[in-house]
Amino acid sequence: MKRVEIFKTNVNKYREAQQIVVTLLQLFSSYKVNFDLDDEERILRIESSQSDIEIGGIVKQMLDWGYQYERIE
């Protein structure tokens, strides 16, 4: 079963988004991770078809990096 989590963020630079994606994929290799910086909410989308998404780990990383986020349900 595919699981998807979507977060509104304050990431606004393409390079920052790329770095976040690369790091999250290193930590959570089974996920698909991408940003939509063209959306006004600067969406971070995380998808997993193999397991539940470790929201706590994602949130911790975003906070550690100093970014704001809000989970969209």
Side-chain angles (χ1 to χ4, degrees), residues 1-4 30-31 47-54:
M1 178 177 198
K2 182 165 52 169
R3 296 178 183 0
V4 177
S30 66
Y31 296 174
E47 180 181 321
S48 175
S49 58
Q50 298 177 355
S51 63
D52 287 339
I53 295 172
E54 295 179 40

Side-chain angles (χ1 to χ4, degrees), residues 9-60:
T9 74
N10 67 337
V11 176
N12 57 15
K13 295 181 182 172
Y14 180 74
R15 186 173 181 185
E16 291 174 344
Q18 278 186 308
Q19 290 173 334
I20 292 168
V21 168
V22 167
T23 304
L24 289 177
L25 288 174
Q26 288 172 347
L27 296 170
F28 308 101
S29 60
S30 66
Y31 296 174
K32 290 183 182 178
V33 181
N34 62 58
F35 271 94
D36 181 358
L37 296 183
D38 293 329
D39 186 284
E40 67 182 39
E41 294 183 328
R42 296 179 215 111
I43 298 296
L44 167 61
R45 184 176 190 274
I46 301 171
E47 180 181 321
S48 175
S49 58
Q50 298 177 355
S51 63
D52 287 339
I53 295 172
E54 295 179 40
I55 295 172
I58 303 294
V59 167
K60 180 183 181 325

